[in-house]
Amino acid sequence: MVSRYPVDMTVHPEVKAFLDPATWTISYVVKDPGSGACAVVDSVMDIDYAAGRISHESADAIVAWVKARGLRVEWLIETHVHADHLSAAPYLQDALGGRIGIGENITVVQDVFGKVFNEGTEFRRDGSQFDRLFGDGDSYRVGGMTCFAMHTPGHTPACMVHVMGDAAFVGDTLFMPDGGSARADFPGGDAGQLYDSIQKVLALPDEMRLFMCHDYGPNGRDIQWETTVGAEKAHNIHVGGGRSKEEFVAFRTARDAQLDMPRLILPSLQVNMRAGELPPADKDGKTFLKVPVNGL
């Protein structure tokens, strides 16, 4: 399979990774090689869930790094509606500027989880909380660098892989080769779609750098987040070596049935479907997160 997307492997952006060990999330600052423009991908807002406290240490590390280098943030990219960490996109937007973007199927996710959390008609399900909704193949610019989004559903309906020169940010579509792939059993997930989406990623050039949103250090190894298309094709334990769609779907379905829900799924979904904003405060100015009983 050959990618139909407008790949330009001559552009080599600088990529700075920020690991949040509490959620095993890796956020990125991606710098245009020809200017001081950059994008931030999959930022993290810290939460002490047991105490109900929000803080911004992870986001502040990005702010400090960007400001120390005099960079200009043009985009705040969410690869999907994360179920394991809260986005810090609005906080970073206030501090650094930039536009918040996500896949256009955020509206599907908002409709599903608007019902799960009984949000009522005042919760907008049209994606208008975000500055840009990306369709498959849509392009945008970071400085002089042309970037594009690939729709990669399966983990969630709104998953997108963002390609910036010779670097692709895969969200949860893939993990490192020894980590395999993400689950497909959330509402709107589909193992068959996930397999097809992974094949789209593997159709990119073998030398394309791939950057993970998560890594869990399987078998006790150090945390890693960068690999290549070629390495995934050859060695990914779930899809590498030409594994068939039927084999993948059977494995993924059986595996997902054994997995617990992510620890932060309930606060994450409520915040991330709002582009990183907390639910609106009540008449006394207090903000609450809901726990739907038997809702997932």
Side-chain angles (χ1 to χ4, degrees):
M1 182 187 293
V2 177
S3 177
R4 61 181 178 81
Y5 296 93
V7 176
D8 185 354
M9 296 293 289
T10 68
V11 178
H12 186 77
E14 175 188 348
V15 179
K16 170 64 175 176
F18 296 82
L19 171 66
D20 174 44
T23 62
W24 312 106
T25 302
I26 304 97
S27 305
Y28 300 97
V29 177
V30 190
K31 179 186 173 297
D32 170 30
S35 73
C38 67
V40 178
V41 181
D42 289 336
S43 62
V44 174
M45 179 167 64
D46 303 290
I47 181 171
D48 181 340
Y49 193 25
R53 293 192 182 94
I54 298 291
S55 59
H56 300 95
E57 292 90 348
S58 296
D60 285 338
I62 293 176
V63 172
W65 195 88
V66 167
K67 287 187 173 180
R69 286 152 185 79
L71 302 182
R72 180 179 71 257
V73 173
E74 295 189 343
W75 286 97
L76 301 157
I77 298 296
E78 299 292 333
T79 55
H80 62 293
V81 175
H82 309 278
D84 39 30
H85 72 269
L86 283 64
S87 170
Y91 181 84
L92 291 175
Q93 189 175 53
D94 288 343
L96 299 171
R99 302 175 68 197
I100 303 174
I102 199 168
E104 62 185 0
N105 275 8
I106 178 61
T107 57
V108 177
V109 177
Q110 288 174 329
D111 184 59
V112 169
F113 289 105
K115 295 172 183 174
V116 168
F117 293 107
N118 193 29
E119 292 294 346
T121 57
E122 63 273 15
F123 172 60
R124 302 189 308 278
R125 295 162 169 82
D126 58 0
S128 58
Q129 300 89 341
F130 298 82
D131 299 312
R132 172 78 183 271
L133 303 183
F134 296 105
D136 186 44
D138 281 356
S139 63
Y140 58 100
R141 295 181 72 82
V142 176
M145 178 172 58
T146 299
C147 313
F148 64 89
M150 299 168 55
H151 186 213
T152 53
H155 176 60
T156 80
C159 286
M160 307 290 281
V161 168
H162 285 261
V163 181
M164 305 180 188
D166 70 348
F169 300 86
V170 300
D172 286 0
T173 301
L174 275 172
F175 293 152
M176 294 294 292
D178 60 349
S181 61
R183 64 196 300 163
D185 62 331
F186 293 154
D190 182 276
Q193 281 189 338
L194 180 58
Y195 181 88
D196 292 341
S197 294
I198 291 171
Q199 299 312 307
K200 290 169 67 173
V201 177
L202 298 184
L204 294 168
D206 281 356
E207 299 78 17
M208 177 72 73
R209 294 180 290 160
L210 300 182
F211 293 90
M212 311 295 110
C213 183
H214 297 286
D215 186 63
Y216 304 99
N219 301 312
R221 67 154 168 77
D222 291 340
I223 301 300
Q224 300 173 6
W225 48 76
E226 180 179 351
T227 184
T228 65
V229 168
E232 291 281 16
K233 285 164 67 173
H235 303 299
N236 186 284
I237 60 173
H238 294 172
V239 295
R243 192 169 193 174
S244 72
K245 184 174 183 177
E246 290 74 19
E247 291 174 312
F248 176 82
V249 169
F251 163 80
R252 189 71 265 171
T253 302
R255 174 64 178 148
D256 290 349
Q258 302 171 8
L259 298 177
D260 294 330
M261 283 292 171
R263 179 175 61 90
L264 295 178
I265 187 170
L266 295 178
S268 295
L269 291 173
Q270 291 173 80
V271 168
N272 295 339
M273 69 183 184
R274 292 179 163 88
E277 298 284 0
L278 293 169
D282 67 8
K283 60 182 177 61
D284 297 319
K286 297 179 179 180
T287 301
F288 295 88
L289 293 164
K290 298 177 181 177
V291 178
V293 177
N294 298 325
L296 290 177

